[in-house]
Amino acid sequence: MSVQRRLIIKGGRRIEGEIAVQGAKNSALPLLAAAVLCKGQTEFHNCPELSDCGAACRILSSLGCGCRREGKVVCINASTVSGSAISERLMREMRSSIIFMGALLGRTGQCRLSFPGGCEIGSRPIDFHLEAFRQMGAKIREEHGCIECSAAKLRGAKISFPIPSVGATENVMLAAVLAEGTTEIHNAAREPEICDLANYLTRCGAKIGGAGTGTITIEGVKELNGCSYTVMPDRIAAATYLCCGAITRGEILLTKADISSLGLIVPVLEQTGCSIYGFGGDSIYLNARKTLKAPQSIRTAPYPGFPTDAQPPLMALCATLPGTTIFVETIFENRYRHVSELTRLGAKINTEGRVAVVEGVNRLTGAELEACDLRGGAAMVTAALFAEGTTKIGKTCYIERGYEDIEGSLKSVGADIRTGN
Ligand code: EPZ
């Protein structure tokens, strides 16, 4: 049996220095899908080198698009899209491949893929996506674990979501830009990644209004042409590194990071006693040398609320702050899987359903952990930087899905972190 490679972190070192933040995974994935809609060449700059982005590029190639990466630039040529089916193997590689549905329906009038199923943090239903496509005239068959969609020509519709959904909002945008007539999305997600997608599509010739608000209007056009576009900075990676700076009571400068996209993360970190400033829309400075204390309560919510993806790394920070923090995770039903691993380090955390009560301790001690999902793994790395002694984190493949070289980034700011077994 191959010995598992693990992240090995010796805690207790103060983080001090500068990290350039990667391009946003949760923007790059819908952008890569959107390129299917555009005739000609698209170049995405600042596209993060992540396993999920690699999977999306393999899907693009399987659909007959040209797709090649040169460093942080991904070039896509979707002049011809010869396929409309995503293989079971590729769907299993990345459940968020569901985001290709809208683009395939919009470009080819059909798509076939296997049900994405749930993942580590929840059941991840796609009913909002399918209901919206039906409203736009698509015929959808679900059988034998597959979804088959077809629509001679999608037509604009008035779509209302019961709750904001990032993926469903993005999928409808992708289906609507080449549809006949106008589509309105009500109770749309307002995340910054939605605006990034709208900006790219608009530059390709789409007519979109209201992105970033709860109501988005899309007027279908005949054709879209590719363009060159730079992926926005990853606000969750930025939040994670800020938590790493704070948990070690250090100071960190993030470049290629936009503080305006961090939403409630900033006031929450200020509540702990951190000083945090944004410079010129592309840098964020945090200083945690003062005495910190636990924030009282964190309730995750759709943007501009506190982002669910930042809940795990923030929880790791709160586990080391004097006081008690109440977390309420309102988005996903199984997003406390990191708690049992953090308690192995000595954290005092009790959960009951969607609620987690974190009682800060002044000491954590290294242990052997296993990542269980992407952001849970990031929480373990964060906590390990504080823990006395050595922590070994296995199943780092989860972490690599969303963090580009977390080892190199943290090492560059003073962490004692390496890969080994
Ligand atoms: C996106 O997932 C992100 N992923 C997630 O990031 C993020 O946590 C989530 O948005 C919320 O911000 C990508 O962008 C690739 P949703 P998505 O649809 O689109 C329910 C990470 O760690 N829902 O906004 O799948 C759903 O169950 C990942 O980077 C339905 O009920 O999330 C959830 O409770 C994790 N039916 C809520 O909506 C649907 O058809 C919000 O989910 C769709 C969603």
Side-chain angles (χ1 to χ4, degrees):
M1 186 177 85
S2 68
V3 179
Q4 201 190 51
R5 292 173 65 72
R6 296 188 285 186
L7 275 176
I8 301 170
I9 297 168
K10 200 153 179 243
R13 303 209 10 186
R14 187 168 263 162
I15 294 288
E16 289 168 336
E18 181 179 318
I19 292 178
V21 173
Q22 70 191 54
K25 165 182 86 83
N26 290 349
S27 187
L29 296 179
L31 285 170
L32 289 165
V36 165
L37 290 158
C38 303
K39 296 236 166 74
Q41 174 108 341
T42 279
E43 267 183 22
F44 287 125
H45 295 258
N46 198 36
C47 191
E49 295 181 80
L50 300 168
S51 50
D52 272 8
C53 292
C57 288
R58 283 189 287 281
I59 289 172
L60 285 167
S61 303
S62 74
L63 296 170
C65 300
C67 184
R68 73 178 191 287
R69 176 182 278 275
E70 290 158 15
K72 300 279 191 267
V73 180
V74 172
C75 302
I76 297 153
N77 189 324
S79 304
T80 55
V81 176
S82 55
S84 61
I86 298 177
S87 71
E88 167 109 17
R89 180 178 55 79
L90 284 168
M91 278 302 290
R92 285 193 185 284
E93 255 193 77
M94 185 180 68
R95 68 160 302 286
S96 41
S97 313
I98 187 76
I99 196 62
F100 278 86
M101 268 182 93
L104 283 169
L105 273 178
R107 179 71 189 269
T108 70
Q110 58 186 6
C111 77
R112 174 186 165 80
L113 40 76
S114 58
F115 242 92
C119 76
E120 308 76 19
I121 62 174
S123 58
R124 310 298 290 276
I126 58 168
D127 50 329
F128 299 169
H129 302 241
L130 301 183
E131 180 48 33
F133 292 144
R134 286 191 181 96
Q135 279 185 255
M136 296 176 76
K139 296 275 176 290
I140 297 179
R141 233 155 39 100
E142 302 167 57
E143 56 181 19
H144 310 308
C146 268
I147 309 167
E148 282 198 358
C149 300
S150 60
K153 185 71 179 162
L154 288 171
R155 56 176 189 272
K158 198 169 184 176
I159 312 284
S160 290
F161 291 130
I163 54 174
S165 158
V166 173
T169 300
E170 292 165 343
N171 240 337
V172 170
M173 288 166 73
L174 295 173
V177 286
L178 293 178
E180 241 156 33
T182 300
T183 298
E184 288 177 14
I185 307 173
H186 296 273
N187 206 13
R190 298 161 56 185
E191 274 69 5
E193 291 78 14
I194 302 287
C195 299
D196 218 26
L197 179 62
N199 291 339
Y200 164 69
L201 289 168
T202 302
R203 194 176 295 178
C204 295
K207 290 183 179 168
I208 301 173
T213 74
T215 302
I216 300 176
T217 305
I218 300 132
E219 192 184 322
V221 295
K222 287 273 177 280
E223 191 175 273
L224 295 177
N225 293 294
C227 70
S228 176
Y229 190 77
T230 298
V231 179
M232 67 174 273
D234 193 312
R235 59 194 172 98
I236 305 301
T240 305
Y241 291 126
L242 292 174
C243 289
C244 292
I247 202 168
T248 61
R249 299 351 181 224
E251 53 182 312
I252 190 166
L253 175 69
L254 300 182
T255 58
K256 296 174 74 177
D258 177 5
I259 195 167
S260 68
S261 69
L262 293 188
L264 281 189
I265 294 166
V266 173
V268 165
L269 287 173
E270 287 174 331
Q271 245 185 57
T272 69
C274 292
S275 306
I276 178 168
Y277 309 99
F279 298 101
D282 66 359
S283 299
I284 305 171
Y285 171 75
L286 174 139
N287 183 312
R289 291 179 179 280
K290 285 192 303 188
T291 308
L292 303 184
K293 62 182 177 24
Q296 280 182 338
S297 65
I298 306 291
R299 182 185 183 83
T300 64
Y303 197 86
F306 190 89
T308 175
D309 294 347
Q311 174 260 104
L314 181 78
M315 184 181 286
L317 169 60
C318 293
T320 71
L321 301 179
T324 299
T325 307
I326 310 284
F327 282 81
V328 182
E329 172 52 64
T330 69
I331 308 293
F332 293 116
E333 67 270 25
N334 195 24
R335 199 160 210 176
Y336 287 145
R337 299 180 72 214
H338 49 285
V339 168
S340 56
E341 296 300 288
L342 295 181
T343 49
R344 287 168 59 80
L345 298 173
K348 280 193 180 162
I349 307 171
N350 289 297
T351 63
E352 181 68 42
R354 300 281 184 135
V355 177
V357 180
V358 180
E359 194 185 329
V361 294
N362 56 21
R363 186 166 177 264
L364 294 178
T365 53
E368 302 208 353
L369 310 179
E370 272 202 354
C372 38
D373 59 64
L374 165 55
R375 307 301 175 183
M380 294 172 206
V381 171
T382 306
L385 294 171
F386 178 87
E388 287 168 18
T390 299
T391 297
K392 296 186 177 183
I393 303 169
K395 294 197 177 168
T396 52
C397 55
Y398 283 110
I399 303 172
E400 288 156 10
R401 284 192 43 223
Y403 293 89
E404 202 183 52
D405 190 17
I406 195 167
E407 176 186 344
S409 296
L410 290 173
K411 193 176 289 182
S412 73
V413 289
D416 181 343
I417 179 172
R418 62 189 174 84
T419 299
N421 46 46

